Amino acid sequence: MKSIFISFLLLLIFCSNNAQNNTSAFTTYQQKIDGSTLSFKMIPIQAGKFIMGSKVTEKNRKADEGPQKEIQIPAFWMGAYEVTRDELDVFLKDESTSQNITMDAITRPSAQYVDLSWGMGKEGGYPANSMSQRTAIMYCRWLYEKTKIFYRLPTEAEWEYACRAGTQTAYYFGNDPALLGKHAWYAKNSEDKFHKVGLKLPNPWGLYDMLGNLMEWTLNHYMPNAYLNYKSIDSVPVANPKKYPKSVRGGGFSETAIELRSANRLHSDPVWNKRDPQIPKSKWWLTEAKNIGIRLVRPLVQPTEQEINEFFQTYLFIE
Amino acid sequence: MHKDLNNHPSRRTFVKDTSLIAGGIMAMPMLSKANFFSGADDVIKVAVIGCGGRGTGAAMQAISSKQNVKIVAMADAFKDNVDNCHKALTKEINEGIGDISKRLDVPEERRFTGFDAYQKAIALADVVILATPPGFRPIHFEEAIKQGKHVFMEKPVATDPAGVQKVLAIAAIAKQKKLNVVVGLQRHYQNSYRELFKRKDMIGEITSAQAWWNNDGVWTRPRKAGQTEMEYQMRNWYYFNWLCGDHINEQHIHNLDVINWFKEGYPVKAQGFGGRQVRNSKEHGEIFDHHFVEYHYADGSILNSQCRHIPGTMSKVDELLVGTKGKIHCGQAKIVDHGGKVLFQFAKKGEPDPYQNEHDELFAAIAKGQYKYADAENGAKSTMTSIMGRMATYSGQMIEWDKAINSGIDIHPKVYDFNAAPPVVPNADGFYPIAVPGVTKYF
């Protein structure tokens, strides 16, 4: 009887371990955040091929949106919503994580010198904003420590694939910017502030605020002609050691309809931190980027622990 | 991001510009030799006094101005600060504006450390950046002006009434010598505030105001084995009044200064309350974590000021002026009437960085041999505004400006030495004496 019980226990442990290692059902789930009552929703994005970039005939197209490339995207989950401040705060307030930077430890960002939500909202479902890419990725590393699941920022291709959700039009709902107000917070309707996540219509794959509200960090170093060198199967890019410019996608609450097109590419810039009066400037917070935020992805096939550690080492110590 | 430094005026242009103002110079017998940069070399030499994060940032802004600026000397109480500053500047210059030899030339023999380091560094420069903890500002400012240098100095400019008086006295000498002095109350160099100020009559007479600096607070630096008490306080300086003056002085001064600026005057008395509810461990020294002060101006108008350093509470850093005809919302850079109608909205998008702007303007004036900036007097009086607020919250009494500023209160050490006793020392349990309203008395 005792051995059966132990076998049963082992089976349970094995199953839950498996669940964390991606052989569980590829379905929507809620990820609980340790140390809180919060969870976030992850949506399965099936593997597939898509055409990245825009047609030369697309209205308001910019040169960096081409040449169009057909790209195979491996399956992944994507956050249904932008990461909220409530969620990020669990990390920011986790006293068990040090604020001292060392190469091999998870490091908690320093406090914001001034309120970088700029009074737009924090508690209660507002998106987290003004963070550097390092803060975004450090949050992923902290989540990995807590959950053993590898969350990361999307590649640019993953982001566009998920945003388009099978469409090839300027927006995932067609080409008419007049419909944008139902789907997105942007220059025309945001009153120059971000709003709680998930108040607008989702895209066909169930993702909210892909367009507008906050621009979203990707892993890719921004190069205007990046698509020329894209391989036919998407993969995590090798970390470019330069801090700027990184690609950000989707436009934010202060961008116009043109900048909210699915193919539109924006990028980070040193100006985003120009009002930090100290040197070295904060590695964690940006003084002039109130419209940047985070959306997480989780690859269906989790890399090995060694690969994950290498990922964090190379991405987190970009100076 | 960094300005194009290839844009320096050629020496020929420079000399031409200088000759244009030569007539003016003849008429200014007191003009310091620091006003001249023509001749063999048009380089403006800068010494950085106080090499922490802000001193380093200010140094970078100085060399990012369009003038031919070179950092030639550094001084700090601590060697590691000097070296980190040099390292960080080297990295910034290499990544940004290139050509390090023209911008940064501080070999070991021009890196000074200790309490007297500032005197040696000041001697080597035309312009000095004063960015140590504010407690040292009066003596550093005094030395810089004595040696005839132009000054950029960070706010606040003192931590006690005696220090304020010293800065006021030196400010008068700086004026006589026509030495430019910019104080890092950078809202004065921010376009949105300047445009609001120009239009302040739109709200009629200012009858009341509010000022906020409420946020999470700042770092602490842990005590290390082998440190003397003096060294520990110098490292963890934010929490000791002789060095910092409390956060009502170190940060909230920005907001109080804006109200003084728009009121075109300084409060005549203040009363308020405060305490340390959350930030009350040993490493938090002697300062409060919240203050609420009611300032009275001569015309009877009231400024309600609040500053709080408590994580997890509502954040707000802003100023509001209320007049007979409307309100000025400084953060939003907006003027409205009492019906809510927008009378003026400044477009903040793309506004230049005020921290950069204060250096651009200062160094442009110096390069042209102009005397344009005399910020020290206002810097001292806005510092006094903060200190009066602190005296009010610490004592729980009504504090009058005239009495406070003339009190001679001096909270500084008698001797600056790492082995000397600082003016406050911990008890046997490691805690410092804290002001108690109703018990703490100034008069």
Side-chain angles (χ1 to χ4, degrees), chain B residues 116-389:
Chain B
D116 60 352
Y118 68 101
Q119 294 165 332
K120 300 166 198 163
I122 288 170
L124 301 172
D126 305 307
V127 184
V128 297
I129 291 171
L130 304 181
T132 62
F136 294 105
R137 203 81 72 245
I139 57 171
H140 290 179
F141 181 50
E142 180 180 38
E143 182 69 19
I145 297 305
K146 192 173 129 195
Q147 294 197 28
K149 315 299 184 179
H150 300 282
V151 172
F152 170 82
M153 61 176 167
E154 262 304 337
K155 42 41 71 174
V157 301
T159 57
D160 57 19
V164 168
Q165 289 287 24
K166 175 168 271 187
V167 173
L168 285 171
I170 305 300
I173 299 171
K175 271 188 187 171
Q176 287 167 13
K177 292 189 171 182
K178 299 200 186 302
L179 293 166
N180 287 291
V181 180
V182 165
V183 171
L185 289 161
Q186 80 284 345
R187 284 164 174 76
H188 290 270
Y189 294 84
Q190 184 168 352
N191 287 355
S192 59
Y193 282 89
R194 286 174 165 182
E195 294 303 315
L196 291 171
F197 182 80
K198 280 185 205 162
R199 293 169 179 81
K200 74 188 181 78
D201 290 346
M202 288 172 121
I203 67 163
E205 290 291 309
I206 297 169
T207 51
S208 73
Q210 284 184 264
W212 301 264
W213 191 299
N214 294 340
N215 71 355
D216 289 359
V218 303
W219 45 261
T220 55
R221 296 187 181 136
R223 192 184 286 275
K224 287 185 180 156
Q227 276 177 336
T228 62
E229 180 63 25
M230 181 66 92
E231 177 173 2
Y232 169 67
Q233 293 193 14
M234 289 283 285
R235 295 280 188 186
N236 196 29
W237 64 266
Y238 209 92
Y239 301 93
F240 298 96
N241 278 324
W242 67 278
L243 286 159
C244 164
D246 205 320
H247 65 109
I248 191 173
N249 187 43
E250 212 282 331
Q251 286 187 321
H252 194 37
I253 184 175
H254 283 296
N255 318 107
L256 300 175
D257 170 63
V258 166
I259 308 301
N260 289 340
W261 179 17
F262 280 63
K263 283 293 296 176
E264 299 180 279
Y266 302 91
V268 294
K269 58 184 180 178
Q271 73 88 22
F273 49 82
R276 30 194 279 154
Q277 180 72 22
V278 172
R279 197 169 60 183
N280 50 17
S281 310
K282 292 173 194 174
E283 70 265 30
H284 300 130
E286 57 174 337
I287 72 172
F288 280 8
D289 61 13
H290 63 282
H291 305 255
F292 195 114
V293 184
E294 169 193 294
Y295 287 97
H296 298 244
Y297 287 82
D299 63 3
S301 58
I302 300 288
L303 157 61
N304 283 307
S305 121
Q306 42 183 299
C307 58
R308 174 174 60 201
H309 274 187
I310 300 182
T313 58
M314 189 194 94
S315 288
K316 182 163 186 162
V317 177
D318 203 353
E319 308 89 22
L320 171 72
L321 295 130
V322 182
T324 49
K325 295 184 198 158
K327 296 178 191 161
I328 302 176
H329 295 272
C330 293
Q332 295 175 55
K334 186 165 85 173
I335 302 177
V336 296
D337 70 14
H338 286 307
K341 189 181 156 209
V342 177
L343 305 175
F344 171 70
Q345 172 71 65
F346 177 79
K348 287 179 82 172
K349 204 166 183 176
E351 182 189 37
D353 172 12
Y355 296 103
Q356 185 58 51
N357 203 35
E358 56 193 5
H359 288 267
D360 289 352
E361 295 194 12
L362 172 63
F363 283 97
I366 292 169
K368 290 177 192 153
Q370 295 171 336
Y371 173 58
K372 281 178 80 172
Y373 299 100
D375 291 354
E377 183 183 340
N378 175 64
K381 289 182 175 172
S382 280
T383 300
M384 190 61 222
T385 308
S386 301
I387 292 170
M388 180 167 70

Side-chain angles (χ1 to χ4, degrees), chain B residues 30 38 412:
Chain B
M30 295 297 288
S38 60
H412 279 73

Side-chain angles (χ1 to χ4, degrees), chain B residues 43-95:
Chain B
V43 172
I44 303 175
K45 289 184 280 183
V46 171
V48 185
I49 316 298
C51 296
R54 182 58 196 129
T56 310
M60 192 62 206
Q61 283 141 6
I63 53 188
S64 301
S65 73
K66 291 197 180 67
Q67 315 309 323
N68 194 2
V69 174
K70 187 193 267 187
I71 310 293
V72 298
M74 292 178 176
D76 195 282
F78 299 110
K79 175 77 173 139
D80 53 321
N81 280 353
V82 173
D83 290 344
N84 287 336
C85 174
H86 193 271
K87 207 158 77 182
L89 284 178
T90 304
K91 182 168 180 287
E92 285 282 318
I93 296 168
N94 281 335
E95 284 174 5

Side-chain angles (χ1 to χ4, degrees), chain A residues 85 93 111-115 117 119 122-123 254-255 269-271 273-281 288 291 319, chain B residues 1 52-54 56-58 60-61 88 91-92 95 190 213 215-217 251 312 315 317 349 351-355:
Chain A
R85 180 62 183 268
K93 293 175 180 172
Q112 296 181 355
Y113 182 66
V114 294
D115 170 25
S117 71
K122 289 193 273 197
E123 293 83 13
S254 49
E255 273 66 46
D269 187 280
V271 147
N273 215 10
K274 73 173 179 178
R275 289 200 196 187
D276 186 337
Q278 307 232 358
I279 285 179
K281 289 177 184 293
E288 316 280 304
N291 52 353
E319 291 296 332
Chain B
M1 168 198 195
R54 182 58 196 129
T56 310
M60 192 62 206
Q61 283 141 6
K91 182 168 180 287
E92 285 282 318
E95 284 174 5
Q190 184 168 352
W213 191 299
N215 71 355
D216 289 359
Q251 286 187 321
S315 288
V317 177
K349 204 166 183 176
E351 182 189 37
D353 172 12
Y355 296 103

Side-chain angles (χ1 to χ4, degrees), chain A residues 105-307:
Chain A
I106 302 173
T107 305
R108 196 155 50 96
S110 55
Q112 296 181 355
Y113 182 66
V114 294
D115 170 25
L116 295 172
S117 71
W118 302 109
M120 291 184 278
K122 289 193 273 197
E123 293 83 13
Y126 290 99
N129 73 324
S130 297
M131 75 293 288
S132 67
Q133 195 199 47
R134 176 194 290 239
T135 295
I137 297 176
M138 194 61 88
Y139 175 57
C140 297
R141 186 172 185 186
W142 178 83
L143 278 173
Y144 177 58
E145 176 88 359
K146 298 282 175 190
T147 64
K148 302 300 166 213
I149 295 174
F150 180 49
Y151 290 99
R152 60 166 168 78
L153 301 178
T155 66
E156 249 195 294
E158 285 168 338
W159 189 94
E160 188 171 325
Y161 175 63
C163 176
R164 288 186 174 282
T167 66
Q168 287 195 55
T169 43
Y171 308 99
Y172 59 72
F173 51 80
N175 288 316
D176 185 0
L179 300 176
L180 202 48
K182 288 183 183 173
H183 296 264
W185 297 107
Y186 68 117
K188 210 167 172 181
N189 66 359
S190 71
E191 296 177 319
D192 203 32
K193 58 188 178 199
F194 60 59
H195 295 262
K196 289 186 182 182
V197 301
L199 294 180
K200 296 289 184 183
L201 293 175
N203 85 349
W205 290 354
L207 304 166
Y208 292 83
D209 302 308
M210 284 300 279
L211 305 180
N213 215 24
L214 292 181
M215 309 186 287
E216 295 166 12
W217 283 112
T218 75
L219 287 178
N220 294 67
H221 198 72
Y222 172 82
M223 286 173 285
N225 58 358
Y227 296 179
L228 277 174
N229 302 316
Y230 260 51
K231 301 207 170 62
S232 57
I233 299 177
D234 187 50
S235 61
V236 170
V238 175
N240 184 306
K242 285 209 165 126
K243 196 167 174 181
Y244 299 103
K246 303 295 176 195
S247 288
V248 301
R249 300 297 297 263
F253 61 86
S254 49
E255 273 66 46
T256 62
I258 293 172
E259 293 162 309
L260 260 70
R261 291 174 305 106
S262 298
N264 191 66
R265 306 172 70 206
L266 295 168
H267 59 79
S268 63
D269 187 280
V271 147
W272 287 14
N273 215 10
K274 73 173 179 178
R275 289 200 196 187
D276 186 337
Q278 307 232 358
I279 285 179
K281 289 177 184 293
S282 174
K283 294 172 161 66
W284 305 110
W285 303 111
L286 302 167
T287 57
E288 316 280 304
K290 58 188 178 179
N291 52 353
I292 185 73
I294 309 170
R295 189 182 300 267
L296 299 175
V297 297
R298 168 191 175 184
L300 175 60
V301 180
Q302 178 148 318
T304 65
E305 193 175 344
Q306 192 190 341
E307 287 167 336

